[in-house]
Amino acid sequence: MQFLYPNVLFLMLLPAFILMFLLLKKQTLLTQHFSKQILEKLSIKNQYLSSKSRTFILFLSLFCMIIALSRPVSNEKIHESKQELIPILIAIDVSKSMLANDIYPNRLEFARKKVLDIIDNQTNFAIGVILFAKSSFILSPLTQDFISLKTLVNN
């Protein structure tokens, strides 16, 4: 196992050990200056965990966070895959200007039919459709599921 950021591991462990030392030292300093009765009144009682177990859980969680921040990774293996798909992304204007009747029946219907023809004739392609007017949105991301793509384009 390797760490992507080993400097974080080393730089954060030092303050964690100092914090651990101060918290443990604080416990002994408090018992020197205050009686047990006063400390019992001042401390928060927990019927499930003692103060030592809470301190242990605090340090364990701090240690786990430091390990997570240093980003441990296992040895990466190079995996080669051949992608035989060719991506095609089709953008269609859906503004009101596409409703002009200069092409039968109108430009939008003509574009929809052409997209359906492209979907029918492609086999080793991944096709995506983006619609735009004032702003754009994705009708379908790149996909090979041509049946649902046809349904989306038809509707």
Side-chain angles (χ1 to χ4, degrees):
M1 181 188 311
Q2 297 175 340
F3 294 101
L4 291 179
Y5 304 115
N7 53 355
V8 171
L9 181 67
F10 297 121
L11 292 175
M12 292 302 289
L13 281 179
L14 180 65
F17 286 131
I18 292 172
L19 177 68
M20 184 184 313
F21 174 74
L22 290 176
L23 281 176
L24 295 176
K25 188 72 171 168
K26 180 183 152 198
Q27 298 278 332
T28 58
L29 287 176
L30 287 175
T31 56
Q32 288 177 358
H33 295 292
F34 297 104
S35 67
K36 279 192 169 188
Q37 296 168 344
I38 293 177
L39 283 176
E40 286 178 9
K41 289 180 182 178
L42 291 175
S43 64
I44 299 172
K45 297 205 180 209
N46 188 346
Q47 62 183 355
Y48 301 111
L49 296 172
S50 66
S51 64
K52 287 184 180 181
S53 60
R54 284 186 292 195
T55 307
F56 175 75
I57 291 173
L58 171 73
F59 289 129
L60 182 66
S61 62
L62 181 64
F63 180 72
C64 290
M65 284 189 283
I66 290 171
I67 295 294
L69 283 174
S70 63
R71 302 273 313 261
V73 293
S74 61
N75 294 335
E76 297 179 12
K77 296 179 182 177
I78 297 174
H79 178 72
E80 294 183 20
S81 63
K82 293 181 180 179
Q83 183 178 3
E84 297 177 6
L85 296 177
I86 300 170
I88 296 177
L89 191 60
I90 301 170
I92 301 175
D93 183 7
V94 290
S95 64
K96 290 185 180 182
S97 66
M98 292 293 283
L99 297 176
N101 291 329
D102 56 349
I103 299 174
Y104 180 76
N106 59 29
R107 294 178 189 174
L108 186 61
E109 190 66 28
F110 183 77
R112 186 182 66 80
K113 288 180 182 178
K114 286 296 180 185
V115 169
L116 290 174
D117 288 342
I118 291 172
I119 292 171
D120 286 335
N121 295 330
Q122 306 307 324
T123 55
N124 60 343
F125 289 87
I127 300 176
V129 179
I130 295 178
L131 303 178
F132 67 92
K134 277 187 178 179
S135 61
S136 63
F137 66 94
I138 298 174
L139 179 67
S140 170
L142 290 173
T143 183
Q144 287 183 289
D145 186 9
F146 298 136
I147 296 171
S148 41
L149 186 59
K150 283 182 187 179
T151 304
L152 288 171
V153 170
N154 280 328
N155 294 330

